[in-house]
Amino acid sequence: RRLLVLEYDGALAPHASLPRLAQPSPTLVSALRALCADSRNTVYVLSGRRRDDLDEWLSRDQLPRLGLVAEAGYWVRRAPSPLTQKDSGTSLATSLLGHPSDTSLEVESPEKDDEEEVSGDWEPPRRAVDLTWRDEVTPILESFTRRTPGSALETTDARLCWYFRDADPDFGIQQAKNLQLHLEVVVEHRPVRVVMSSLKKSVVVQPARVSPGRALRGAIP
């Protein structure tokens, strides 16, 4: 059996400031359908995009066996066929995603029967996530958006993403660095990560304990 984990943003689809510019092509949807049609495969697509966008683009109706991780790990739509290695007693999550001692992937293990039906609904993290920082951070990002022509702010349930891809290259990167420094001071004692990517042309603020690895370990027995 195989566990296939695919990155959406920048791999399956190009990096884009606006969600409508990141929609999958018909060719991509057909390729995912073919992968999911093989009963030996369990396929997950990881993305920082909102779950509503992923539901629209990669719906359960057209891809019923596809698992999704949205907002970089905050929401999970589980694939319907869990993978286990019954001969060794070791789960594929541990074999392929790493040992539970790896704190970058650590997550509270779900408690369920082996024969449990997997719901098509989206599941949030099993542990409470502090999102109170958003009220303080959002106005800062809005201010930088107003002062940086061509930039865009995307808000999701758990993340705030500021894109400068369409801004003046030199001014955009300078603003991104200034924004990162400003935010790191504001959230210094909060359970939050600030990540600036020159490749993705973005500054992302998200909960520190939310990640795709933790989400996958919780979804795959």
Side-chain angles (χ1 to χ4, degrees):
R1 290 181 177 270
R2 295 179 289 252
L3 171 63
L4 306 179
V5 181
L6 310 173
E7 177 69 36
Y8 186 84
D9 310 290
L12 300 182
H15 292 298
S17 300
L18 301 176
R20 61 182 173 80
L21 300 178
Q23 296 183 45
S25 66
T27 301
L28 173 57
V29 175
S30 295
L32 291 173
R33 185 179 294 113
L35 287 175
C36 292
D38 189 332
S39 61
R40 295 170 297 177
N41 295 340
T42 290
V43 185
Y44 273 85
V45 170
L46 314 181
S47 177
R49 297 292 177 181
R50 295 176 297 184
R51 56 173 174 157
D52 290 345
D53 291 330
L54 295 181
D55 250 342
E56 178 183 349
W57 303 338
L58 306 171
S59 69
R60 186 70 84 179
D61 289 340
Q62 61 178 339
L63 294 164
R65 297 191 65 245
L66 179 67
L68 293 174
V69 176
E71 299 189 26
Y74 189 78
W75 292 105
V76 177
R77 192 184 80 185
R78 281 195 275 167
S81 300
L83 290 179
T84 56
Q85 294 176 322
K86 294 185 177 180
D87 55 337
S88 65
T90 301
S91 72
L92 278 191
T94 298
S95 299
L96 299 180
L97 298 177
H99 192 275
S101 62
D102 182 350
T103 56
S104 67
L105 298 176
E106 182 181 356
V107 74
E108 184 175 298
S109 300
E111 296 181 359
K112 59 180 182 296
D113 296 330
D114 292 340
E115 303 301 324
E116 177 186 356
E117 289 291 330
V118 177
S119 169
D121 295 334
W122 289 91
E123 303 173 15
R126 288 178 172 82
R127 296 177 180 175
V129 176
D130 180 7
L131 298 176
T132 57
W133 51 269
R134 289 168 59 99
D135 292 338
E136 189 173 5
V137 169
T138 300
I140 298 172
L141 292 169
E142 291 174 339
S143 175
F144 269 79
T145 303
R146 289 191 298 269
R147 293 187 285 115
T148 311
S151 66
L153 176 60
E154 180 183 18
T155 62
T156 69
D157 290 332
R159 308 168 83 222
L160 299 174
C161 309
W162 186 76
Y163 297 101
F164 58 97
R165 177 171 298 278
D166 300 317
D168 175 82
D170 293 333
F171 185 59
I173 192 69
Q174 186 59 54
Q175 286 289 79
K177 292 177 179 178
N178 291 338
L179 175 59
Q180 181 185 22
L181 291 173
H182 189 169
L183 291 174
E184 286 176 345
V185 172
V186 171
V187 301
E188 182 178 5
H189 301 296
R190 309 294 290 276
V192 175
R193 283 185 295 162
V194 179
V195 181
M196 196 276 280
S197 171
S198 57
L199 174 64
K200 298 179 180 180
K201 307 293 184 184
S202 66
V203 177
V204 177
V205 191
Q206 65 184 47
R209 292 194 58 81
V210 170
S211 72
R214 290 190 177 94
L216 278 175
R217 189 179 295 283
I220 303 170

